Amino acid sequence: MSKNNINVHKPWYKIVIFFWDWNIFEKLLLSLNFAATLAILIYSCVQGNDGPKDWTIWISFMGSITNIISVILATKKRVSCFAWGIVAVILFGAIAWNSKAFGNTILYWGFYIPAQIVAWVLWYRSSADKIEIKPRGMKWWYILIAIAATTACIVGFYFIEDIPGFDKFWYCGDQKYESYHRALDSAILMMSLTMTIFAWLRFRERWVLSIVIDSLQTAFWIIIAIGVGRAGEPSGWIMMVSSLSMLVAAVYGVINWRK
């Protein structure tokens, strides 16, 4: 029996609502992320002076929802995760640019957009049914090489950011960004590049690395959100909630990709 014939006998809501087959944990994670970011959005609009006019709040809200949908679909090994992921990285790049987090801006716009397209093609080609992929594990020497190369890139990029001319371009001369900010920016950028390559190759270890990255992202956006005098503080809190949701999803991904 063909898939089309099977779909004919499915209830209409199972065809229209793409997450009808999600389990309770997946639906709960999406619901909590939506509720938390919506609460921040409403509070900002009601209490903030520029709430409804602050485009960063609305962009971060939409980015947070599309991103968590993409991540959950990725933990389910679904090829369709990249359709949502492309939208999310476009929106997140705009938030990073507004926050002068140019390492994240380059990460989202300069790398993640084409990377999502490449990953979509690779996953689609490797999938037998064009819906789900089969993960695979890394050899131990691949892991050692990846750790050494990523660590070297983090250290190198950290010192590059400290070059006077480059620092002025990278942070627009903003003196509020201290060494810990540059360290987080460098670590997130370089480890994210490594994780993306892991995702291309369908390595299970991508979720372990994602746990580290999402932990750093959560800390990064907390700094942005509570920073005195920073523009778009509510959007920083939404990004923090999104990073925390991704951290939970990454732990779930480690479990789910071992099945």
Side-chain angles (χ1 to χ4, degrees):
M1 183 179 293
S2 67
K3 290 183 178 180
N4 290 333
N5 290 334
I6 293 176
N7 287 337
V8 170
H9 299 290
K10 285 183 180 179
W12 65 270
Y13 62 86
K14 290 187 176 183
I15 299 175
V16 175
I17 304 176
F18 75 94
F19 51 82
W20 69 269
D21 62 339
W22 288 22
N23 60 36
I24 295 177
F25 173 80
E26 294 160 355
K27 292 178 180 178
L28 181 61
L29 180 58
L30 174 60
S31 300
L32 289 176
N33 183 87
F34 177 80
T37 52
L38 181 62
I40 296 172
L41 176 65
I42 294 175
Y43 177 81
S44 176
C45 291
V46 173
Q47 299 294 331
N49 295 327
D50 299 320
K53 299 179 182 179
D54 188 350
W55 64 271
T56 63
I57 303 174
W58 296 91
I59 293 296
S60 58
F61 172 72
M62 292 184 290
S64 178
I65 301 304
T66 54
N67 182 67
I68 194 61
I69 291 174
S70 172
V71 174
I72 293 175
L73 287 173
T75 65
K76 295 170 69 64
K77 313 165 196 173
R78 298 290 175 82
V79 178
S80 58
C81 68
F82 300 110
W84 296 90
I86 291 173
V87 176
V89 296
I90 292 174
L91 298 175
F92 280 175
I95 300 302
W97 175 270
N98 183 71
S99 298
K100 295 183 181 179
F102 296 129
N104 272 260
T105 304
I106 291 177
L107 180 65
Y108 289 127
W109 285 351
F111 181 75
Y112 271 160
I113 291 177
Q116 293 273 328
I117 297 174
V118 171
W120 198 345
V121 173
L122 292 176
W123 279 30
Y124 184 83
R125 289 181 176 178
S126 65
S127 175
D129 59 3
K130 309 306 179 185
I131 297 176
E132 293 185 7
I133 53 97
K134 184 178 180 181
R136 56 181 182 168
M138 291 181 67
K139 298 183 183 298
W140 66 268
W141 58 83
Y142 288 175
I143 297 177
L144 293 179
I145 292 173
I147 292 175
T150 303
T151 302
C153 289
I154 291 173
V155 174
F157 194 75
Y158 173 82
F159 286 106
I160 289 175
E161 284 187 301
D162 206 29
I163 297 174
F166 189 87
D167 182 65
K168 184 177 180 180
F169 160 75
W170 199 250
Y171 295 110
C172 291
D174 194 333
Q175 299 300 317
K176 295 176 183 177
Y177 292 98
E178 304 295 342
S179 59
Y180 63 84
H181 184 285
R182 296 199 306 273
L184 281 174
D185 206 26
S186 301
I188 290 170
L189 175 60
M190 294 305 168
M191 286 193 293
S192 295
L193 301 184
T194 301
M195 187 194 67
T196 301
I197 296 174
F198 286 4
W200 286 350
L201 301 174
R202 296 172 285 117
F203 288 147
R204 296 185 181 92
E205 288 76 9
R206 65 155 290 186
W207 293 110
V208 177
L209 187 54
S210 182
I211 290 175
V212 179
I213 295 170
D214 295 333
S215 298
L216 294 178
Q217 284 278 30
T218 301
F220 181 89
W221 287 110
I222 287 177
I223 293 172
I224 295 295
I226 67 177
V228 178
R230 297 202 188 282
E233 291 181 17
S235 65
W237 284 111
I238 290 179
M239 293 290 284
M240 184 273 293
V241 170
S242 178
S243 297
L244 187 59
S245 299
M246 289 170 62
L247 175 59
V248 176
V251 176
Y252 179 65
V254 170
I255 300 172
N256 216 33
W257 274 44
R258 294 184 65 86
K259 296 179 181 178

